[in-house]
């Protein structure tokens, strides 16, 4: 019996998998033309189509007399075509225009593409049009209305709610609508949820297929917009649920290995704190406690530490390493760049001195002879903490005696996480993992993409840190900016000037760091001007930074290499040209480079004279807002989580961004996924079989997309 059920489940899922992954162009009734349209929207497979969500819904209103039409409303009009002809607009574009009249007045309708309607356009025809009313010099007009013969008026589904897939192009929208109907007609039986039926019922979750029908064919299956909204949420829920389930299962089978337990005495920590020239902030103390508890557990810590630039994450990371060292285990700290690795190393050496800890560093610039010594010292356990870049992971010669903790700094793409096993070289125990980032990822996003990663937040700045004052200038105000720079130099300040590009580009007309370096060197020749960028060799960079720190150079022209962690404590001003090219969080990171001590920093953002209202509004947020989390939320609102996290989003997913902000929905999906992943909540045996098969077929090799960066 059970074998038979297994076979059935297997057969059903194999078929479903085949169908759902079929290229849309192979669906009956979808030709290559429509398929091309869908590809452009990021819809390739049947599954993409079913899971896409209409951009909007239209409530097809009543039929109106032309004289009753109001500006901006959607309405249908029945009338006779009085005039019909192709016309050319003043800027040379071809369009088709008809004038429709009923006994109350005239309505102008125009189309920019009209091949599908051409048969209807004969003068004298009685037709019905449906569209948005716009008045032009007292004449009502409709752009690209729907049009049918008046006897076919039922085709317009007036009085019903219909989906709109592309707002700007009704032809495209109706093509998509038709394609989706075709697909649902043909494969509807294979739409299934990963959520078992009994769990759906218990939690009053709408069946997935019902939701899909309501969303795509509302005129038949939905009674109200409200119902459609619920159905949309159900579809998004399914997607979040699947991601969460994959993450949780991954955690269950991959991450939930054994780890070493580290206990540390209060007296050691107090001693270390007493060696510092400052008091820890209460946020630092809280986060340290969170980490300390994690390290006492027999499973690996898997924690994200978030804190604004300058909030003191390095110290927290050091304490984690200290706890590990005190228990006799080694730690490794990885940074994305050599500059940052060097700074971490310096900090660690300073912190570690009073404790007698041995810190090592390996980067691309480490000499072979030094390397050899380090390898040996590591293997023998003479080194407590090793600092380096992410490239460490690939260094086959590195063998720890006993690795207990991995710290990854300023890494939000997480590709490194996946490869941690590399560095642990098949040891039975997994190291604890701490990831630090200054890019404040809103909790909703973190949950969606990382699922079960614990999060600690340092939400407090060290007290003597003065903020940064930010001001936006237009390009035509550059003379003021140059004056500000001059004044800053006279007052003894040090300045970063950041450009979006290193070299001139043929494709984009933007000033480059290289070119502006020449200009600025001439303008401020008596002050010392340097250039730094990502393509420079490590020792060159270090040299320039040293000159800047020592004041031999007072202006540092740069690309965004300084984004990740150049710590020059007394830089006082940062100027960012073409600020509109940067993400808000990125600028926030950049300006975190200045005003780190007791003096308020200055940040000048330069934007083009001609800039869209929205872009300008976006940049000006930085004049008012200093909280990295709020800024990141704004970035999320404006650009979507994809860009923040480096996930490429395709068009079909744009709308889903809205829902990624819905914390309630995410938590709900997570709860359900958790209950299924961790316990045996599926009671019905057939369901259990089906669910296990689903996991096997659809999730077992599914690595969450952010893990692959
Ligand atoms: P980030 O979080 O950006 O990595 P850092 O750890 O580099 O910040 O800290 C920035 C600066 O603040 C460093 O010079 C560090 O020594 C200092 N710092 C850290 N914690 C405190 C504190 N509690 N009080 C004062 N200064 C601190
Ligand atoms: Mg840091």
């Amino acid at each position: 019996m059970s074998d038979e059920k297994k076979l059935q489940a297997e057969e059903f899922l194999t078929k479903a998998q085949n169908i759902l992954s079929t290229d849309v162009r192979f669906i009956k009734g979808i030709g290559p033309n429509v398929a091309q349209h869908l590809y452009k929207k990021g819809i390739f497979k049947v599954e993409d189509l079913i899971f896409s969500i209409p951009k909007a819904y239209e409530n097809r209103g009543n039929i109106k007399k032309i004289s009753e039409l109001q500006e901006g409303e959607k309405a249908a009009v029945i009338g006779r075509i009085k005039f019909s002809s192709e016309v050319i607009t003043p800027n040379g574009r071809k369009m088709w225009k008809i004038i429709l009249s009923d006994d109350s007045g005239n309505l102008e309708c125009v189309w920019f593409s009209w091949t599908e309607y051409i048969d209807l356009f004969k003068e004298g025809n009685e037709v019905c049009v449906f569209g948005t009313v716009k008045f032009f010099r007292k004449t009502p007009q409709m752009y690209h209305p729907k049009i049918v013969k008046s006897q076919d008026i039922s085709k317009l589904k007036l009085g019903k709610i219909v989906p709109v897939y592309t707002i700007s192009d009704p032809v495209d929208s109706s093509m998509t609508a038709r394609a989706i109907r075709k697909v649902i007609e043909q494969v509807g039986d294979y739409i299934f949820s990963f959520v078992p039926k009994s769990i759906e019922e218990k939690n009053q979750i709408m069946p997935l297929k019902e939701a899909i029908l309501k969303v795509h064919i509302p005129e038949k299956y939905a009674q109200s917009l409200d119902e459609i909204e619920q159905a949309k949420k159900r579809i998004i829920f399914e997607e979040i649920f699947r991601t969460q389930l994959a993450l949780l299962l991954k955690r269950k089978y991959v991450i939930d290995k054994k780890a070493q337990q580290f206990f540390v005495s209060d007296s050691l920590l107090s001693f270390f704190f007493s060696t510092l020239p400052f008091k820890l902030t209460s946020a630092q103390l809280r986060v340290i406690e969170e980490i300390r508890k994690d390290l006492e557990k027999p499973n690996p810590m898997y924690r994200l530490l978030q804190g604004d630039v300058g909030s003191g994450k390095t110290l927290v990371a050091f304490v984690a390493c200290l706890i590990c060292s005190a228990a006799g285990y080694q730690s490794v700290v990885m940074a994305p760049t050599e500059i940052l690795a060097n700074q971490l190393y310096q900090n660690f050496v300073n912190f570690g001195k009073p404790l007698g800890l041995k810190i090592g560093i390996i980067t691309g610039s480490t000499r072979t002879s030094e390397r050899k010594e380090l390898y040996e010292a590591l293997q023998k356990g003479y080194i407590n903490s090793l600092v380096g870049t992410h490239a460490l992971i690939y260094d086959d010669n590195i063998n720890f005696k006993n690795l207990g903790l991995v710290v990854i700094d300023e890494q939000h793409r997480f590709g490194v996480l996946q490869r941690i096993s590399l560095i642990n070289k098949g040891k039975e125990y997994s190291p604890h993992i701490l990831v630090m980032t200054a890019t404040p990822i809103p909790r909703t996003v973190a949950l969606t993409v990382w699922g079960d990663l614990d999060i600690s937040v340092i939400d407090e700045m060290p007290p003597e840190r003065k903020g940064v004052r930010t001001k936006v200038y237009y390009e035509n105000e550059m003379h003021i900016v140059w004056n500000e720079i001059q004044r800053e130099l006279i007052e003894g300040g040090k300045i970063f000037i950041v450009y979006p590009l290193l070299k001139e580009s043929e494709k984009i007309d933007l000033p480059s760091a290289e070119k502006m370096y020449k200009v600025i060197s001439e303008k401020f020749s008596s002050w010392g001007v340097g250039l730094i960028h990502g393509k420079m060799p490590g020792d060159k960079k270090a040299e320039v930074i040293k000159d800047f720190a020592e004041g031999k150079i007072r202006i540092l022209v740069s690309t965004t290499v300084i984004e990740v962690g150049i710590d020059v404590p007394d830089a006082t001003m940062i100027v960012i040209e073409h600020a509109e090219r940067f993400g808000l969080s990125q600028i926030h990171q950049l300006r975190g480079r200045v005003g780190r001590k007791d003096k308020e920093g200055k940040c000048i953002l330069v934007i083009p004279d001609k800039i869209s209202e929205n872009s300008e509004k976006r940049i000006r947020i930085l004049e008012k807002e200093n909280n990295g989390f709020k800024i990141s939320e704004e970035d999320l609102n404006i650009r979507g989580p994809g860009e923040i996290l480096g996930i490429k989003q395709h068009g079909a997913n744009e709308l889903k961004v809205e829902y990624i902000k819905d914390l309630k929905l995410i938590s709900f999906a997570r709860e359900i996924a958790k209950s299924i992943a961790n316990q045996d909540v599926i009671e019905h045996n057939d369901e259990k079989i089906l669910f296990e098969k689903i996991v096997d077929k659809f999730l077992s090799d599914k690595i969450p997309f952010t893990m692959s960066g």
Side-chain angles (χ1 to χ4, degrees):
M1 177 65 189
S2 155
D3 278 351
E4 200 180 308
K5 289 280 179 213
K6 265 188 205 162
L7 208 67
Q8 275 178 12
E10 173 74 34
E11 265 174 22
F12 171 78
L13 290 174
T14 308
K15 226 175 189 164
Q17 191 172 31
N18 283 337
I19 287 172
L20 294 173
S21 60
T22 304
D23 191 315
V24 283
R25 89 192 129 110
F26 297 125
I27 294 296
K28 255 193 229 117
I30 300 184
N33 278 342
V34 178
Q36 280 307 326
H37 251 87
L38 297 173
Y39 293 164
K40 271 189 226 138
K41 296 148 98 69
I43 295 173
F44 299 97
K45 295 181 295 181
V46 166
E47 190 170 24
D48 301 335
L49 198 52
I50 292 172
F51 276 88
S52 69
I53 285 189
K55 284 247 181 346
Y57 289 87
E58 258 173 34
N59 202 338
R60 297 272 162 97
N62 296 327
I63 300 165
K64 293 240 167 143
K65 287 273 173 218
I66 291 174
S67 61
E68 297 166 354
L69 294 173
Q70 308 269 344
E71 170 75 23
E73 77 171 332
K74 291 213 156 163
V77 168
I78 298 174
R80 197 171 290 283
I81 299 178
K82 237 171 63 167
F83 167 90
S84 176
S85 166
E86 187 177 297
V87 292
I88 299 192
T89 65
N91 55 11
R93 206 167 158 198
K94 281 185 186 168
M95 59 181 197
W96 196 282
K97 177 165 157 179
I98 68 169
I99 296 175
L100 195 67
S101 89
D102 62 8
D103 52 22
S104 78
N106 289 336
L107 170 70
E108 279 183 25
C109 301
V110 294
W111 289 262
F112 290 112
S113 63
W114 58 83
T115 39
E116 64 171 324
Y117 301 136
I118 191 75
D119 293 343
L120 294 168
F121 285 164
K122 275 207 208 81
E123 284 170 20
N125 269 4
E126 183 153 311
V127 295
C128 176
V129 293
F130 173 82
T132 307
V133 180
K134 283 244 173 303
F135 277 82
F136 181 68
R137 298 196 182 129
K138 299 216 171 125
T139 308
Q141 298 184 324
M142 286 184 184
Y143 275 82
H144 228 293
K146 300 239 174 242
I147 178 166
V148 293
K149 278 192 218 145
S150 59
Q151 61 265 38
D152 290 339
I153 193 165
S154 66
K155 280 194 190 157
L156 285 179
K157 304 186 181 83
L158 294 174
K160 294 199 166 154
I161 301 166
V162 294
V164 181
Y165 291 90
T166 319
I167 285 165
S168 57
D169 184 352
V171 178
D172 180 49
S173 182
S174 58
M175 258 193 217
T176 311
R178 244 173 292 151
I180 289 184
R181 262 156 232 255
K182 286 262 166 4
V183 163
I184 292 177
E185 270 166 32
Q186 289 170 57
V187 312
D189 290 344
Y190 291 96
I191 298 172
F192 68 96
S193 172
F194 284 16
V195 185
K197 261 215 177 56
S198 62
I199 306 241
E200 272 185 354
E201 278 163 18
K202 207 160 98 196
N203 294 282
Q204 295 172 345
I205 298 166
M206 187 189 295
L208 182 63
K209 186 173 167 189
E210 187 183 322
I212 284 172
L213 290 173
K214 280 193 204 305
V215 162
H216 291 300
I217 318 181
E219 65 274 20
K220 199 159 160 196
Y221 295 98
Q223 306 302 325
S224 64
L225 284 171
D226 211 40
E227 221 175 84
I228 295 172
E229 190 58 23
Q230 291 308 316
K232 267 200 242 171
K233 276 198 179 177
R234 172 61 181 92
I235 295 176
I236 311 278
F237 170 88
E238 182 74 21
E239 295 204 275
I240 301 172
F241 173 81
R242 289 179 183 192
T243 311
Q244 291 295 327
L245 191 65
L247 283 161
L248 287 163
L249 292 172
K250 185 185 167 85
R251 184 180 172 98
K252 186 168 169 186
Y253 297 120
V254 183
I255 300 162
D256 277 1
K257 298 214 306 197
K258 286 250 170 294
Q260 299 292 349
Q261 292 168 264
F262 303 142
F263 297 88
V264 70
S265 66
D266 288 337
S267 56
L268 178 63
L269 291 187
S270 325
F271 169 71
F272 169 59
F273 297 158
S274 74
T275 66
L276 297 171
F278 47 72
K279 265 181 68 180
L280 276 73
T281 62
S282 51
Q284 281 172 318
L285 287 169
R286 189 190 67 237
V287 166
I288 286 172
E289 242 358 83
E290 286 165 359
I291 291 170
R292 185 180 177 182
K293 288 220 176 72
D294 279 357
L295 296 177
E296 290 175 356
K297 292 182 189 152
N299 319 96
M301 166 169 76
Y302 188 45
R303 186 172 286 278
L304 180 68
L305 172 59
Q306 293 186 348
D308 233 340
V309 177
S311 61
K313 294 185 291 295
T314 313
L315 176 71
V316 173
F318 177 81
V319 173
C321 293
L322 168 60
I323 296 173
C324 177
S325 307
Y329 282 79
Q330 293 170 299
S331 50
V332 60
V333 186
M334 286 179 278
T337 66
E338 232 179 284
I339 302 176
L340 194 60
N342 279 312
Q343 273 154 18
L344 274 174
Y345 174 69
Q346 266 318 317
N347 280 316
F348 266 54
V349 167
N350 294 339
F351 290 142
K353 220 175 257 160
L355 300 155
L357 292 181
K358 287 266 178 321
I359 318 291
I361 179 165
I362 295 186
T363 68
S365 322
T366 311
R367 280 189 207 89
T368 320
S369 55
E370 279 175 73
R371 250 169 215 273
K372 275 208 178 115
E373 271 172 48
L374 273 161
Y375 292 145
E376 206 182 309
L378 273 174
Q379 190 146 30
K380 292 201 165 130
Y382 298 159
I383 287 181
N384 298 103
S385 295
L386 176 68
V387 180
T389 60
H390 296 155
L392 276 188
I393 288 219
Y394 303 104
D395 190 337
D396 282 336
N397 297 308
I398 294 180
N399 283 300
F400 291 91
K401 179 172 173 231
N402 56 11
L403 183 63
L405 169 68
V406 177
V407 179
I408 303 167
D409 194 13
E410 302 281 4
Q411 164 75 17
H412 48 274
R413 292 228 168 79
F414 281 69
V416 177
L417 264 187
Q418 237 183 316
R419 303 180 189 107
I420 278 182
S421 58
L422 284 182
I423 200 166
N424 206 29
K425 309 248 154 76
K427 296 253 168 61
E428 182 185 337
Y429 286 88
S430 164
H432 296 278
I433 298 163
L434 179 66
V435 181
M436 304 197 281
T437 177
T439 309
I441 297 118
R443 192 166 176 85
T444 49
V445 177
L447 275 176
T448 320
V449 297
W450 293 316
D452 228 359
L453 186 97
D454 295 308
I455 301 175
S456 290
V457 181
I458 308 185
D459 50 4
E460 183 188 354
M461 284 290 173
E464 71 254 45
R465 209 182 110 102
K466 295 274 196 302
V468 181
R469 193 200 317 224
T470 300
K471 193 155 170 34
V472 177
Y473 288 95
Y474 295 107
E475 249 165 15
N476 69 27
E477 298 172 304
M478 260 328 267
H479 58 284
I480 307 179
V481 176
W482 296 128
N483 282 342
E484 290 280 328
I485 292 173
Q486 182 78 34
R487 174 146 22 122
E488 191 67 22
L489 289 167
I490 291 167
E491 284 175 9
K494 286 182 194 170
I495 302 160
F496 288 120
I497 307 182
V498 184
Y499 292 88
L501 295 178
L502 172 63
K503 287 184 185 300
E504 302 280 283
S505 151
E506 282 175 10
K507 291 196 196 93
I508 327 167
D509 185 22
L510 286 175
S512 69
E514 258 181 5
K515 185 174 153 204
M516 289 310 290
Y517 167 63
K518 291 204 191 101
V519 175
I520 294 165
S521 297
E522 273 173 32
K523 236 185 170 60
F524 299 100
S525 55
S526 56
W527 297 97
V529 181
L531 173 68
I532 189 165
H533 57 80
K535 300 241 160 65
M536 271 159 78
D539 48 349
K540 257 284 177 29
K541 273 189 243 172
E543 201 177 300
V544 176
I545 288 175
K546 190 157 161 274
D547 287 350
F548 190 57
E550 287 170 358
K552 280 189 210 145
I553 289 173
R554 297 279 298 281
I555 297 179
L556 195 50
V557 177
S558 108
T559 57
T560 53
V561 282
I562 61 162
E563 181 186 351
V564 274
I566 292 183
D567 193 358
V568 181
D570 55 353
T572 53
M573 183 189 227
I574 183 166
V575 179
I576 302 174
E577 290 212 37
H578 280 277
E580 82 287 354
R581 293 250 147 198
F582 298 85
L584 293 188
S585 292
Q586 198 182 8
I587 294 177
H588 182 64
Q589 290 253 59
L590 287 167
R591 72 179 172 181
R593 303 286 129 219
V594 299
R596 312 195 75 185
K597 269 215 174 130
D598 47 352
K599 196 164 173 276
E600 185 179 60
K602 296 193 186 87
C603 170
I604 291 182
L605 305 175
V606 184
I607 56 176
D609 305 334
K610 281 194 194 131
I611 183 170
S612 77
E613 206 178 310
N614 273 342
S615 301
E616 177 165 352
K617 220 165 92 192
R618 185 173 81 92
I619 293 299
R620 288 204 185 265
I621 288 169
L622 291 162
E623 284 184 320
K624 286 176 241 109
E625 192 54 71
N626 243 318
N627 179 318
F629 280 80
K630 295 239 173 78
I631 287 165
S632 154
E633 293 275 0
E634 285 295 337
D635 249 358
L636 179 71
N637 279 332
I638 297 161
R639 308 193 311 160
E643 271 193 69
I644 294 178
L645 299 169
I647 310 162
K648 199 137 182 84
Q649 275 202 289
H650 48 65
N653 264 335
E654 273 166 32
L655 219 123
K656 292 174 183 164
V657 171
E658 277 305 304
Y659 291 88
I660 289 186
K661 289 185 286 187
D662 187 341
L663 185 56
K664 267 225 271 337
L665 188 66
I666 293 166
S667 313
F668 183 48
R670 231 172 107 63
E671 277 319 304
I672 302 278
K674 228 175 178 167
S675 72
I676 296 174
N678 294 346
Q679 303 144 30
D680 261 349
V681 291
I682 311 174
E683 281 160 14
H684 200 285
N685 205 30
D686 292 353
E687 276 190 348
K688 206 174 268 174
I689 292 169
L690 186 64
F691 180 74
E692 274 163 16
K693 288 267 170 217
I694 287 173
V695 170
D696 198 40
K697 258 196 166 9
F698 291 85
L699 290 176
S700 57
D701 61 355
K702 186 173 173 177
I703 293 170
F705 43 81
T706 41
M707 294 291 197
S708 58

